[in-house]
C-alpha cells in the first residue's frame, strides 16, 4: 500500500516514522524544505517519552507523483482547501483520505473529495515539533500504547478498509475502530475546546489550567457549552480513552460542579505538561485552528440558539493574540474569565 503523510510536522513526523518501520512505501510530504532534507539525510528523530531515530523517505508537495492508496491528512485545518484540492491529483478510485486533524473537518473534506474517499479519526496523544528532523512525543508511552487513535467510516459502518488502516496505525499506538465517528470527533473537540482553548487563551500548559480554581471552572464551562451545543446538533458523545465526558454537563444549579472539576483534575493530570498546538502556533506567530475549535462550537451554538460565552471569550482572546502576534499570559487574561463567572 502506498501511503502519504500529508504534513510531517509535530504529529506527522512521529506517525510517519513509526509507520515507515512496517511499510516500504511511505512518504512524508511537507512544505518545509529544510525539514524534508533533514528527514532524508538523518532520519526522523523522536524525542520525549520515546527516543528513536528511524530512516524515512520525505518529499515536498512539488515532488509528489502517481497515486496514493492512503493519505493521512496532518496539515492544519486552516490550509485544507488548498492542500486537499491539490491532493485530488494524486488519488485513484479506491484511495482513502484519513483526516486525523482536530475539530470536525469531515463535512468540508467531503465537499471537495466526495463521500467515498473520506474517513475520519481522532488523535489522543500530543507532539511538539522541535527542529528539522526532530519531533517530541509528549504523552506517556503506556497511555499512547493503549489509546493513540480512534478511526471510523463517516456512516459508522465497520468496513474492511478501516480494519486494514487500524493495523497500519497500530504500528504507532493503540488504535480503536469506532461506529460513532461523529461522537468521537466531538469528544476530542470537547477536550480541545476546554483544555487547549484555555491553554492558548492563558499561554500555559494543561497542568496550570487544572490547578487554578478560576481556570479549571472555565475549562469545565467550555466543556459544558460543547456538550449542550453538540447534543442540540444530535451528537452522542463517544467515550474518550475510556472516559465518559458526560460528567462535564453542569446541572442548572451547578450542584455537580465539584464532581466535574475533580474529574477534570484527575483525568488531565497525566497530561499536565501538554501545551496546546494552538498555543504553539501563537508562539510561532502563526494562524491557529481557533475557528475550527472554539469558533466552531460558538458558531454552531449561534445557529442553534445556545449561548456560548466562554467559547466567545476564548475566540476573542486567541484572535487578539494572532492579530498582535503576541502570546497570552495567565496573569494578563485570567481576569476576563473571572469576570464571566456568575
Ligand atoms: N500536535 C499535537 O499534539 C496534536 C495535533 N493534532 C492535530 O493534527 C493536525 C496537525 O497538527 P501538528 O502536527 O501539530 O501541526 P504542525 O503545524 O506541527 O505540522 C503541519 C506540517 O504541515 C506543513 N504544511 C503546511 N502547509 C502544507 C502544505 N500545503 N503541504 C504540505 N505540508 C504543509 C507544515 O509546514 P510549515 O510549518 O512550514 O507550515 C508543518 O510541517 C492539526 O489539525 C492538529 O490540530 C491533533 C492532536 C494532537
Ligand atoms: C490535546 C492535544 C494537546 C493532544 O491530544 C491536542 O490535540 C492539541 O492541543 O492540539
Amino acid at each position: 500500500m502506498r501511503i502519504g503523510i500529508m504534513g510531517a510536522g509535530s504529529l506527522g513526523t512521529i506517525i510517519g516514522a513509526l509507520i515507515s518501520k512496517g511499510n516500504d512505501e511511505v512518504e512524508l510530504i511537507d512544505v518545509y524544505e529544510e525539514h524534508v532534507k533533514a528527514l532524508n539525510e538523518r532520519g526522523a528523530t523522536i524525542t520525549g517519552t520515546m527516543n528513536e531515530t528511524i530512516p524515512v523517505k520525505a518529499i515536498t508537495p512539488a515532488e509528489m507523483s502517481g497515486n496514493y492508496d492512503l493519505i493521512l491528512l496532518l496539515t492544519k485545518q486552516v490550509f485544507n482547501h488548498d492542500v486537499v484540492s491539490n491532493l485530488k491529483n494524486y488519488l485513484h478510485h479506491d484511495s482513502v483520505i484519513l483526516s486525523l486533524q482536530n475539530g470536525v473537518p469531515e463535512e468540508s473534506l467531503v465537499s471537495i473529495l466526495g463521500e467515498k474517499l473520506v474517513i475520519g479519526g481522532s488523535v489522543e496523544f500530543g507532539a511538539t515539533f522541535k527542529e528539522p528532523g526532530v519531533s517530541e512525543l509528549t504523552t506517556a508511552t503506556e497511555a499512547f500504547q493503549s489509546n493513540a487513535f480512534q478511526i471510523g467510516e463517516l456512516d459508522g459502518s465497520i468496513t474492511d478498509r478501516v480494519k486494514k488502516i487500524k493495523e497500519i496505525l497500530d504500528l504507532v499506538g493503540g488504535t480503536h475502530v469506532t461506529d460513532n465517528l461523529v461522537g468521537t470527533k466531538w469528544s476530542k473537540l470537547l477536550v480541545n475546546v476546554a483544555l487547549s482553548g484555555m491553554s492558548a487563551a492563558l499561554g500555559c500548559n494543561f497542568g496550570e489550567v487544572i490547578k487554578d480554581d478560576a481556570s479549571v471552572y472555565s475549562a469545565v464551562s467550555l466543556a459544558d457549552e460543547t456538550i449542550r451545543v453538540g447534543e442540540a446538533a444530535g451528537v452522542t458523545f463517544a467515550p474518550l480513552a475510556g472516559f465518559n465526558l458526560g460528567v462535564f454537563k453542569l446541572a442548572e444549579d451547578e450542584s455537580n460542579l465539584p464532581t466535574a472539576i475533580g474529574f477534570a483534575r484527575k483525568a488531565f493530570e497525566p497530561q499536565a505538561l501538554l501545551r496546546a498546538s494552538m498555543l504553539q502556533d501563537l508562539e510561532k506567530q502563526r494562524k491557529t485552528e481557533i475557528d475550527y475549535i472554539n469558533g466552531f462550537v460558538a458558531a454552531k451554538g449561534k445557529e442553534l440558539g445556545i449561548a456560548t460565552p466562554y467559547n466567545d471569550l476564548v475566540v476573542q482572546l486567541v484572535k487578539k493574540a494572532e492579530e498582535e502576534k503576541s502570546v497570552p499570559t495567565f496573569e494578563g487574561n485570567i481576569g476576563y474569565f473571572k469576570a464571566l463567572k456568575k
Side-chain angles (χ1 to χ4, degrees), residues 272-335:
L273 296 179
L274 281 192
R275 294 169 74 75
S277 52
M278 288 193 289
L279 175 56
Q280 296 175 44
D281 286 332
L282 290 179
E283 288 167 339
K284 291 185 211 148
Q285 305 197 339
R286 299 227 169 136
K287 201 165 157 42
T288 68
E289 291 182 307
I290 194 73
D291 285 338
Y292 305 95
I293 310 274
N294 301 80
F296 175 79
V297 173
K300 269 265 177 272
K302 209 161 272 149
E303 219 176 283
L304 296 162
I306 296 168
T308 57
Y310 281 87
N311 277 287
D312 297 345
L313 177 58
V314 169
V315 172
Q316 185 194 322
L317 295 173
V318 172
K319 285 198 176 239
K320 182 166 172 274
E322 277 181 359
E323 274 157 32
E324 292 175 350
K325 300 209 179 300
S326 63
V327 180
T329 63
F330 196 96
E331 298 70 31
N333 282 349
I334 191 68

XYZ file of all heavy atoms in Angstrom, residues 272-335:
497
model
N -0.373 17.000 32.215
C -0.088 18.325 32.778
C 0.932 19.127 31.951
O 0.854 20.351 31.873
C 0.397 18.178 34.222
N 1.879 18.447 31.330
C 2.941 19.180 30.610
C 2.549 19.576 29.188
O 3.288 20.284 28.508
C 4.221 18.337 30.573
C 4.836 18.060 31.942
C 6.078 17.191 31.816
C 5.189 19.383 32.645
N 1.377 19.115 28.742
C 0.967 19.425 27.355
C 0.705 20.916 27.161
O 0.063 21.556 27.993
C -0.297 18.675 26.982
C -0.199 17.211 26.593
C -1.516 16.758 25.981
C 0.903 17.007 25.586
N 1.193 21.438 26.053
C 0.867 22.807 25.631
C 0.068 22.645 24.338
O 0.510 21.960 23.417
C 2.143 23.610 25.368
C 2.963 23.839 26.636
C 4.340 24.384 26.303
N 4.332 25.783 25.896
C 4.166 26.806 26.711
N 3.972 26.591 27.998
N 4.186 28.039 26.277
N -1.105 23.274 24.292
C -1.978 23.116 23.125
C -1.242 23.453 21.831
O -0.399 24.350 21.804
C -3.178 24.039 23.272
N -1.584 22.731 20.757
C -0.926 23.069 19.484
C -1.337 24.485 19.044
O -0.565 25.164 18.367
C -1.191 22.024 18.405
O -2.550 21.755 18.252
N -2.516 24.978 19.484
C -2.882 26.373 19.158
C -1.915 27.346 19.857
O -1.575 28.391 19.314
C -4.326 26.675 19.588
C -5.361 26.003 18.708
S -7.023 26.649 18.987
C -7.420 26.012 20.599
N -1.476 26.991 21.070
C -0.508 27.848 21.767
C 0.847 27.811 21.046
O 1.505 28.844 20.873
C -0.371 27.384 23.228
C 0.689 28.102 24.072
C 0.470 29.618 24.093
C 0.695 27.551 25.512
N 1.228 26.606 20.589
C 2.493 26.509 19.832
C 2.432 27.378 18.572
O 3.414 27.997 18.186
C 2.775 25.059 19.462
C 3.011 24.150 20.675
C 3.173 22.695 20.273
O 3.863 22.380 19.308
N 2.523 21.790 20.996
N 1.233 27.454 17.935
C 1.084 28.307 16.747
C 1.249 29.779 17.122
O 1.902 30.531 16.394
C -0.283 28.089 16.089
C -0.358 26.766 15.348
O 0.696 26.294 14.886
O -1.455 26.203 15.241
N 0.649 30.187 18.248
C 0.791 31.602 18.665
C 2.259 31.916 18.929
O 2.753 32.987 18.570
C -0.037 31.878 19.931
C -1.558 31.875 19.763
C -2.244 32.138 21.103
C -2.004 32.927 18.738
N 2.964 30.953 19.545
C 4.393 31.185 19.835
C 5.202 31.336 18.548
O 6.194 32.041 18.508
C 4.935 30.039 20.699
C 4.409 30.124 22.123
C 4.636 28.870 22.974
O 4.850 27.776 22.415
O 4.574 28.994 24.200
N 4.747 30.655 17.489
C 5.448 30.759 16.195
C 4.868 31.879 15.335
O 5.176 31.980 14.147
C 5.313 29.439 15.431
C 6.076 28.286 16.046
C 5.955 27.065 15.121
C 5.980 25.783 15.892
N 5.194 24.702 15.307
N 3.949 32.691 15.919
C 3.280 33.790 15.210
C 2.538 33.288 13.973
O 2.606 33.873 12.889
C 4.281 34.877 14.843
C 5.029 35.375 16.068
C 5.720 36.690 15.855
O 5.997 37.081 14.736
N 6.008 37.373 16.942
N 1.848 32.148 14.143
C 1.073 31.567 13.043
C -0.405 31.677 13.336
O -0.809 31.767 14.485
C 1.397 30.083 12.932
C 2.838 29.855 12.635
C 2.913 28.878 11.529
N 4.273 28.829 11.039
C 4.894 27.721 10.764
N 4.269 26.580 10.921
N 6.115 27.740 10.295
N -1.204 31.522 12.287
C -2.649 31.465 12.451
C -2.995 30.138 13.144
O -2.440 29.099 12.797
C -3.288 31.532 11.058
C -4.714 31.970 11.082
C -5.161 32.377 9.689
C -6.669 32.286 9.544
N -7.435 32.786 10.672
N -3.889 30.186 14.120
C -4.261 28.964 14.844
C -5.513 28.326 14.238
O -6.154 28.909 13.358
C -4.608 29.285 16.315
O -5.829 30.039 16.317
C -3.513 30.084 17.005
N -5.885 27.167 14.784
C -7.119 26.496 14.342
C -8.327 26.951 15.166
O -9.352 26.247 15.199
C -6.955 24.971 14.456
C -5.962 24.406 13.456
C -5.832 22.890 13.528
O -5.575 22.377 14.642
O -5.963 22.211 12.499
N -8.267 28.117 15.804
C -9.332 28.547 16.714
C -10.722 28.541 16.054
O -11.714 28.179 16.677
C -8.993 29.936 17.349
C -9.906 30.232 18.534
C -9.024 31.075 16.348
C -9.630 29.461 19.758
N -10.782 28.931 14.766
C -12.086 28.951 14.080
C -12.689 27.552 13.959
O -13.896 27.408 13.763
C -11.950 29.523 12.664
C -11.779 31.038 12.689
O -12.165 31.659 13.697
O -11.237 31.586 11.706
N -11.827 26.517 14.019
C -12.298 25.139 13.842
C -12.487 24.438 15.193
O -12.898 23.284 15.237
C -11.297 24.348 12.978
C -11.050 25.039 11.666
C -9.958 25.913 11.510
C -11.932 24.881 10.602
C -9.752 26.579 10.321
C -11.729 25.543 9.414
C -10.640 26.398 9.268
O -10.436 27.071 8.095
N -12.135 25.124 16.283
C -12.239 24.511 17.621
C -13.286 25.321 18.413
O -14.476 25.117 18.233
C -10.846 24.493 18.321
C -9.755 23.915 17.397
C -10.903 23.780 19.676
C -9.551 22.457 17.366
N -12.860 26.294 19.206
C -13.834 27.091 19.981
C -14.761 27.868 19.050
O -15.955 28.019 19.340
C -13.100 28.034 20.926
C -12.200 27.276 21.890
O -11.108 26.883 21.492
N -12.654 27.045 23.101
N -14.223 28.357 17.930
C -15.040 29.123 16.981
C -16.121 28.264 16.349
O -17.219 28.747 16.045
N -15.824 26.979 16.162
C -16.804 26.049 15.577
C -17.977 25.864 16.536
O -19.146 25.913 16.128
C -16.096 24.716 15.289
C -17.008 23.631 14.786
C -17.414 23.611 13.462
C -17.444 22.626 15.634
C -18.254 22.607 12.990
C -18.282 21.620 15.179
C -18.690 21.606 13.849
N -17.676 25.686 17.837
C -18.748 25.491 18.834
C -19.567 26.776 18.965
O -20.805 26.741 19.020
C -18.151 25.060 20.198
C -19.227 25.022 21.279
C -17.485 23.689 20.068
N -18.876 27.927 18.986
C -19.594 29.203 19.110
C -20.528 29.407 17.913
O -21.692 29.810 18.084
C -18.583 30.347 19.212
N -20.037 29.100 16.709
C -20.867 29.298 15.503
C -22.060 28.342 15.491
O -23.188 28.741 15.188
C -20.021 29.097 14.246
N -21.815 27.062 15.845
C -22.922 26.085 15.905
C -23.932 26.505 16.977
O -25.143 26.373 16.795
C -22.387 24.695 16.255
C -22.015 23.852 15.065
C -23.193 22.925 14.674
C -22.918 22.113 13.447
N -23.216 22.648 12.185
N -23.417 27.028 18.116
C -24.289 27.484 19.204
C -25.207 28.592 18.707
O -26.413 28.599 18.970
N -24.626 29.524 17.987
C -25.407 30.642 17.443
C -26.515 30.110 16.531
O -27.669 30.503 16.616
C -24.463 31.570 16.669
C -24.931 33.011 16.679
C -23.809 33.981 16.343
C -23.026 34.407 17.585
N -21.634 34.703 17.337
N -26.133 29.170 15.659
C -27.085 28.560 14.716
C -28.254 27.912 15.471
O -29.402 27.978 15.034
C -26.310 27.442 14.007
C -26.550 27.242 12.552
C -25.591 26.140 12.084
O -24.388 26.441 11.918
O -26.044 24.979 11.934
N -27.951 27.294 16.631
C -28.960 26.512 17.361
C -29.575 27.288 18.523
O -30.345 26.741 19.306
C -28.303 25.225 17.900
C -27.798 24.257 16.823
C -26.808 23.258 17.393
C -28.984 23.524 16.188
N -29.206 28.568 18.675
C -29.767 29.403 19.732
C -29.271 29.046 21.129
O -30.000 29.167 22.110
N -28.013 28.597 21.221
C -27.447 28.261 22.537
C -26.284 29.223 22.835
O -25.348 29.337 22.031
C -26.951 26.801 22.551
C -28.154 25.883 22.343
C -26.215 26.454 23.850
C -27.804 24.473 22.057
N -26.354 29.878 23.981
C -25.307 30.865 24.326
C -23.999 30.144 24.647
O -23.995 29.101 25.308
C -25.763 31.685 25.524
N -22.880 30.713 24.178
C -21.570 30.103 24.428
C -20.578 31.187 24.886
O -19.564 31.425 24.227
C -21.033 29.408 23.152
O -20.974 30.391 22.089
C -21.904 28.245 22.712
N -20.842 31.851 26.035
C -20.000 32.979 26.429
C -18.526 32.613 26.657
O -17.636 33.412 26.321
C -20.643 33.466 27.734
C -21.520 32.341 28.196
C -21.954 31.608 26.978
N -18.258 31.413 27.185
C -16.851 31.040 27.435
C -16.125 30.801 26.113
O -14.979 31.206 25.935
C -16.776 29.823 28.365
C -17.003 30.235 29.811
C -18.288 30.310 30.342
C -15.937 30.600 30.629
C -18.503 30.728 31.646
C -16.143 31.021 31.941
C -17.426 31.084 32.439
O -17.626 31.516 33.733
N -16.798 30.144 25.155
C -16.160 29.951 23.849
C -15.949 31.285 23.142
O -14.903 31.517 22.526
C -16.992 29.000 22.983
C -16.695 27.551 23.294
O -15.634 27.045 22.926
N -17.592 26.895 24.014
N -16.940 32.190 23.252
C -16.794 33.503 22.600
C -15.550 34.219 23.149
O -14.790 34.825 22.404
C -18.037 34.376 22.852
C -19.298 33.769 22.234
O -19.171 32.854 21.394
O -20.406 34.201 22.614
N -15.361 34.129 24.492
C -14.217 34.812 25.101
C -12.883 34.201 24.641
O -11.942 34.926 24.297
C -14.336 34.751 26.639
C -13.172 35.364 27.417
C -12.953 36.837 27.056
C -13.395 35.224 28.939
N -12.815 32.861 24.599
C -11.565 32.220 24.156
C -11.248 32.642 22.713
O -10.111 33.004 22.389
C -11.660 30.675 24.287
C -10.491 29.999 23.581
C -11.701 30.271 25.755
N -12.273 32.641 21.854
C -12.058 33.036 20.451
C -11.514 34.468 20.397
O -10.516 34.756 19.711
C -13.365 32.936 19.630
C -13.197 33.534 18.238
C -13.812 31.480 19.521
N -12.157 35.343 21.177
C -11.754 36.759 21.168
C -10.287 36.920 21.627
O -9.493 37.622 20.982
C -12.695 37.494 22.120
C -12.541 38.990 22.172
C -13.284 39.538 23.410
O -14.365 39.053 23.775
N -12.699 40.515 24.051
N -9.900 36.231 22.702
C -8.541 36.387 23.233
C -7.493 35.785 22.297
O -6.412 36.350 22.101
C -8.439 35.740 24.626
C -9.284 36.396 25.725
C -9.237 35.578 27.018
C -8.816 37.835 25.989
N -7.813 34.629 21.703
C -6.828 33.983 20.824
C -6.685 34.776 19.519
O -5.574 34.974 19.017
C -7.199 32.494 20.566
C -6.304 31.878 19.496
C -7.116 31.698 21.865
N -7.798 35.300 19.010
C -7.714 36.103 17.771
C -6.936 37.389 18.011
O -6.181 37.846 17.147
C -9.107 36.410 17.237
C -9.717 35.190 16.589
C -10.867 35.555 15.681
C -11.365 34.308 15.007
N -11.333 34.281 13.614
N -7.130 37.972 19.203
C -6.392 39.199 19.536
C -4.878 38.889 19.522
O -4.087 39.639 18.958
C -6.853 39.680 20.919
C -6.218 40.962 21.393
C -7.004 41.513 22.599
C -6.311 42.688 23.237
N -5.316 42.308 24.228
N -4.512 37.763 20.129
C -3.090 37.385 20.156
C -2.577 37.136 18.738
O -1.454 37.531 18.398
C -2.906 36.150 21.028
N -3.403 36.490 17.896
C -2.995 36.255 16.494
C -2.710 37.587 15.804
O -1.680 37.755 15.157
C -4.118 35.562 15.714
C -4.185 34.075 15.867
C -5.317 33.464 15.029
O -6.051 34.199 14.344
O -5.476 32.233 15.083
N -3.660 38.537 15.975
C -3.516 39.837 15.295
C -2.297 40.601 15.790
O -1.546 41.178 15.022
C -4.759 40.692 15.522
C -5.855 40.410 14.517
C -7.235 40.799 15.034
O -7.322 41.774 15.817
O -8.210 40.111 14.667
N -2.101 40.581 17.125
C -0.977 41.332 17.714
C 0.340 40.587 17.614
O 1.375 41.086 18.004
C -1.260 41.595 19.200
C -2.399 42.561 19.432
C -2.738 42.691 20.924
O -2.224 41.892 21.740
O -3.534 43.587 21.232
N 0.298 39.335 17.146
C 1.467 38.450 17.127
C 2.095 38.377 18.516
O 3.306 38.541 18.704
C 2.471 38.896 16.068
C 1.905 38.896 14.655
C 2.972 38.654 13.615
C 2.436 38.615 12.198
N 1.439 37.604 11.911
N 1.218 38.190 19.520
C 1.698 38.101 20.903
C 1.291 36.743 21.479
O 0.501 36.017 20.884
C 1.077 39.222 21.738
O -0.331 39.061 21.787
N 1.852 36.408 22.644
C 1.479 35.160 23.324
C 0.770 35.550 24.621
O 1.331 36.289 25.435
C 2.736 34.306 23.628
C 2.337 33.016 24.343
C 3.481 33.983 22.344
N -0.475 35.088 24.822
C -1.204 35.475 26.031
C -0.480 35.012 27.296
O 0.301 34.058 27.262
C -2.527 34.717 25.883
C -2.642 34.352 24.454
C -1.250 34.189 23.951
N -0.762 35.694 28.410
C -0.218 35.230 29.695
C -1.374 34.960 30.648
O -2.452 35.546 30.521
C 0.706 36.281 30.347
O -0.087 37.442 30.628
C 1.897 36.623 29.466
N -1.110 34.085 31.612
C -2.115 33.716 32.605
C -2.576 34.966 33.354
O -3.775 35.253 33.438
C -1.503 32.695 33.589
C -2.525 31.977 34.398
C -2.979 30.727 34.012
C -3.057 32.553 35.541
C -3.934 30.057 34.748
C -4.013 31.892 36.284
C -4.452 30.643 35.894
N -1.621 35.726 33.872
C -1.941 36.923 34.671
C -2.698 37.940 33.817
O -3.599 38.629 34.303
C -0.660 37.594 35.204
C 0.182 36.732 36.136
C 0.856 35.567 35.405
O 1.190 35.704 34.204
O 1.013 34.485 36.020
N -2.331 38.050 32.546
C -2.945 39.038 31.666
C -4.409 38.730 31.361
O -5.223 39.642 31.192
N -4.771 37.436 31.266
C -6.113 37.089 30.762
C -7.054 36.417 31.754
O -8.264 36.367 31.492
C -5.986 36.189 29.519
C -5.633 36.991 28.277
O -5.679 38.237 28.299
N -5.268 36.323 27.210
N -6.552 35.919 32.886
C -7.451 35.165 33.773
C -8.595 36.059 34.295
O -9.714 35.585 34.502
C -6.678 34.469 34.937
C -7.587 33.482 35.689
C -6.066 35.472 35.902
C -8.011 32.274 34.925
N -8.325 37.369 34.439
C -9.345 38.303 34.930
C -10.593 38.310 34.056
O -11.712 38.433 34.555
